[in-house]
């Protein structure tokens, strides 16, 4: 047994220090980034924020909406050829990623999709635990099948495994174990790594090898997205922040809740209708049942099922996130998203914000 006593930080442990800036307005900030890859010879341009391959988030409707703002969507693993056929022509290959697990049937499904639609070139190989040898071997196998595709692999949280996956053929490593909004890995297993430190350490390891990382999970606000980029993430992946929208496709549940006011005549409480959408982790019981995978009896559920408030069109939320990010850049004098890490000094804090009215007003 060993104890590592270096302090590891989460988004909530820091704030970004403002700096003198010559930027006049957040309109002047450029969020588009251009990337080259370690293995693939392609180049990519867009705003490097991606919808997670979760039910209710990584949907075709989400991809069609987010691509208009140059954001990416990693489609759920369960997407079928039949579902894709009617929309494939409308999906932009630069912003559409296909995900796969590591089983033979996952690979066969991926191959049939990529064969039917050769315009797409981004693959996300996604498992909860990216530390197994079998996973690294699978990444190498996919690289040999698709030498010029952009391959994302994850999830890991340490520099050594980031480098291992890059050497085995990944262009981009996905970082995060346990920070997710509907994730219970840390409770079920005691395993995890504070997400801000995981991003800082894995980004450093990847950038040294001319490769990229995705900060996946744990963002609860536009400020957290800015902190992830400030820490060195090349892309940020969002689940919970993009859940609850029309594009996710879930059915809306209506619930009557006390408004806090009373009918003057009857003195009975006045009820408001609140709308919710179900959201769940991809290894929750709900996901396993829905996707008709038998949950192996050696494996416990590592995801929650929750109700998130219904929030309408995702475009409004996207504007909120991009507006926040532009504003962060103006606070630290970064003219572009690329300059944000250089402008970022994190200060450790014990309290992030004043939440005295947060509960009663939200
Ligand atoms: P969020 O943005 O909601 O905080 O985090 C999204 C990320 O949580 C996903 O991209 C994925 O990596 C992770 N995730 C999704 N479902 C589950 C789950 O059931 N269990 C665990 N451990 N992580 C999950």
């Amino acid at each position: 047994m060993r104890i590592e006593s270096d302090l590891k930080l989460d988004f909530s442990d820091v704030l970004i220090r403002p700096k003198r800036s010559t930027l006049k307005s957040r309109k002047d900030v450029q969020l588009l980034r251009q990337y080259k890859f370690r293995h693939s010879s392609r180049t990519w341009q867009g705003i490097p924020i991606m919808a997670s391959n979760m039910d209710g988030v990584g949907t075709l409707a989400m991809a069609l909406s987010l691509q208009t703002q140059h954001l990416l969507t990693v489609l759920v693993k369960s997407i079928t050829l039949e579902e894709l056929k009617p929309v494939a022509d409308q999906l932009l290959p630069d912003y559409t990623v296909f995900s796969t697990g590591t089983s033979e049937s996952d690979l066969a499904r991926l191959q049939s999709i990529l064969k039917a639609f050769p315009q797409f070139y981004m693959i996300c190989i996604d498992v909860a635990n990216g530390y197994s040898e079998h996973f690294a071997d699978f990444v190498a196998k996919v690289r040999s099948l698709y030498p010029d595709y952009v391959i994302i692999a994850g999830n890991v949280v340490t520099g050594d495994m980031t480098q291992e996956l890059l050497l085995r053929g990944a262009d981009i490593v996905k970082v995060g174990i346990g920070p997710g909004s509907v994730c219970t890995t840390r409770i079920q297993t005691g395993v995890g790594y504070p997400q801000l430190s995981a991003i800082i350490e894995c980004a450093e390891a990847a950038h040294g090898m001319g490769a990229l990382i995705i900060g996946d999970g744990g963002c609860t606000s536009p400020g957290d997205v800015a902190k992830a980029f400030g820490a060195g993430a090349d892309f940020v992946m969002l689940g919970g922040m993009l859940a609850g929208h029309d594009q996710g496709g879930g059915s809306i549940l209506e619930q009557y809740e006390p408004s806090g006011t009373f009918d003057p005549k009857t003195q009975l409480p006045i009820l408001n209708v609140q709308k919710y959408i179900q959201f769940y982790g991809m290894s929750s019981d709900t996901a396993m049942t829905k996707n008709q995978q038998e949950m192996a009896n050696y494996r416990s559920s590592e995801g929650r099922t929750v109700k998130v408030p219904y929030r309408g069109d995702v475009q409004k939320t996207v504007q909120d996130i991009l507006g926040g990010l532009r504003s962060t850049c103006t606070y630290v004098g970064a003219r572009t998203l690329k300059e944000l890490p250089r402008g970022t000094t994190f200060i450790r804090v014990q309290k992030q914000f004043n939440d005295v009215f947060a509960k009663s007003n939200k």
Side-chain angles (χ1 to χ4, degrees):
M1 194 275 290
R2 261 190 66 209
I3 297 181
E4 225 180 85
S5 45
D6 282 0
L7 185 69
K8 303 294 174 188
L9 300 168
D10 241 314
F11 296 129
S12 58
D13 296 319
V14 299
L15 287 168
I16 298 171
R17 192 173 76 183
K19 294 205 171 97
R20 197 148 54 92
S21 159
T22 53
L23 289 173
K24 282 206 201 83
S25 148
R26 60 189 198 172
K27 283 204 284 298
D28 301 337
V29 174
Q30 175 59 268
L31 297 180
L32 286 173
R33 292 225 50 185
Q34 278 160 359
Y35 290 129
K36 288 196 168 112
F37 302 99
R38 180 179 161 87
H39 297 277
S40 169
S41 64
R42 293 171 188 268
T43 52
W44 179 89
Q45 177 171 296
I47 296 181
I49 294 176
M50 36 177 55
S52 172
N53 52 339
M54 299 174 73
D55 289 347
V57 178
T59 61
L60 291 167
M62 186 67 79
L64 291 171
S65 181
L66 294 189
Q67 69 182 12
T68 64
Q69 302 296 324
H70 313 290
L71 270 58
L72 304 105
T73 299
V74 185
L75 295 169
V76 288
K77 288 177 193 166
S78 56
I79 217 111
T80 61
L81 265 179
E82 285 61 42
E83 288 170 308
L84 275 165
K85 269 179 195 143
V87 288
D89 286 348
Q90 298 163 53
L91 290 168
L92 300 176
D94 284 344
Y95 307 115
T96 308
V97 185
F98 287 92
S99 52
T100 177
T102 56
S103 70
E104 286 302 317
S105 62
D106 287 336
L107 182 59
R109 193 194 59 91
L110 177 76
Q111 285 182 291
S112 67
I113 287 175
L114 296 179
K115 193 166 171 213
F117 308 108
Q119 68 271 37
F120 298 110
Y121 67 90
M122 298 179 99
I123 301 170
C124 175
I125 312 171
D126 182 36
V127 294
N129 171 8
Y131 283 78
S132 79
E133 215 171 282
H134 170 248
F135 179 66
D137 290 345
F138 187 82
V139 172
K141 180 170 170 184
V142 177
R143 170 56 69 204
S144 67
L145 290 169
Y146 298 102
D148 203 35
Y149 279 50
V150 172
I151 297 180
I152 300 169
N155 281 18
V156 299
V157 284
T158 50
D160 56 347
M161 203 59 200
T162 299
Q163 293 187 330
E164 169 74 9
L165 294 177
L166 294 170
L167 291 170
R168 299 301 294 276
D171 293 296
I172 310 173
V173 172
K174 195 149 70 75
V175 174
I177 292 188
S181 59
V182 281
C183 165
T184 57
T185 295
R186 293 177 184 180
I187 299 164
Q188 288 298 112
T189 67
V191 175
Y193 211 94
Q195 184 67 351
L196 186 87
S197 289
I199 292 173
I200 292 170
E201 292 169 27
C202 295
E204 201 175 278
H207 295 167
M209 290 175 63
L212 306 169
I213 68 146
I214 300 170
D216 173 21
C219 289
T220 60
S221 60
D224 288 346
V225 177
K227 289 173 188 176
F229 281 120
D234 304 290
F235 296 85
V236 175
M237 178 177 265
L238 304 175
M241 282 182 71
L242 297 178
H245 296 95
D246 293 331
Q247 285 83 355
S251 48
I252 297 173
L253 322 163
E254 292 194 344
Q255 197 165 305
Y256 289 93
E257 291 179 2
S259 65
T261 54
F262 292 84
D263 184 309
K265 273 195 199 141
T266 62
Q267 292 302 311
L268 291 171
I270 296 174
L271 300 178
N272 283 342
V273 182
Q274 292 295 334
K275 294 181 175 178
Y276 293 97
I277 292 187
Q278 193 188 48
F279 179 53
Y280 47 85
M282 292 313 285
S283 57
S284 64
D285 293 345
T286 313
M288 295 291 163
T289 314
K290 181 156 181 285
N291 294 322
Q292 281 155 6
Q293 292 160 9
E294 273 286 306
M295 189 146 57
N297 56 12
Y298 57 85
R299 185 160 181 271
S300 64
S301 156
E302 286 176 20
R304 264 182 236 290
T305 300
V306 299
K307 283 182 315 195
V308 296
Y310 167 64
R311 291 189 280 167
D313 192 333
V314 75
Q315 286 295 330
K316 202 165 145 271
T317 300
V318 169
Q319 291 316 319
D320 193 45
I321 296 169
L322 300 186
L325 199 49
R326 286 201 176 89
S327 196
T328 311
C329 290
T330 59
Y331 271 111
V332 302
R335 212 164 276 283
T336 63
L337 184 58
K338 186 178 180 188
E339 291 173 18
L340 181 58
R342 219 182 318 141
T344 297
T345 302
F346 288 120
I347 45 171
R348 280 190 56 208
V349 295
Q350 292 188 324
K351 184 172 157 105
Q352 246 199 118
F353 48 78
N354 182 344
D355 62 357
V356 66
F357 292 127
K359 285 199 185 84
S360 57
N361 285 351
K362 266 226 159 167

